[in-house]
Amino acid sequence: MEHITLTVPASRTVSGKALAGVVGSGDMEVLFTATQGQTLTIDITTSVDNSRSRWEALFNRLQTVSSLPAGTLTIHDFGATPGVARIRIEQVFEEVSYA
């Protein structure tokens, strides 16, 4: 089990909370809570050891293709592929955009 904390610049503000996925499904769950500020703090608990570089690469890519909201993102990962991880993250961002 590995615990990773990342902080990336945020380029927009939203309000509310959102949840996507269920870790018990053998996948991952992502919880987002909006905050005021200019950063997105990402707190990851993963069953995959030595995966920090994979998560950093995923968030670097997300920064280049979309505007990340300010807040706290909590990820409980049970070995999801990068594609599934990206879908879950984008789902919470989309959901909170409509809150």
Side-chain angles (χ1 to χ4, degrees), residues 23-42:
V23 76
S25 69
D27 184 85
M28 69 181 287
E29 72 179 0
V30 179
L31 302 105
F32 175 76
T33 303
T35 61
Q36 297 299 312
Q38 298 178 353
T39 60
L40 173 63
T41 301
I42 306 138

Side-chain angles (χ1 to χ4, degrees), residues 16-85:
K17 296 179 181 185
L19 166 69
V22 179
V23 76
S25 69
D27 184 85
M28 69 181 287
E29 72 179 0
V30 179
L31 302 105
F32 175 76
T33 303
T35 61
Q36 297 299 312
Q38 298 178 353
T39 60
L40 173 63
T41 301
I42 306 138
D43 187 36
I44 305 162
T45 302
T46 179
S47 64
V48 181
D49 290 334
N50 302 313
S51 63
R52 182 179 190 88
S53 61
R54 179 175 66 107
W55 287 103
E56 288 173 341
L58 176 63
F59 281 97
N60 286 338
R61 177 142 176 95
L62 283 171
Q63 282 181 286
T64 63
V65 298
S66 65
S67 57
L68 299 178
T72 302
L73 193 65
T74 303
I75 298 173
H76 299 121
D77 172 39
F78 194 66
T81 65
V84 170

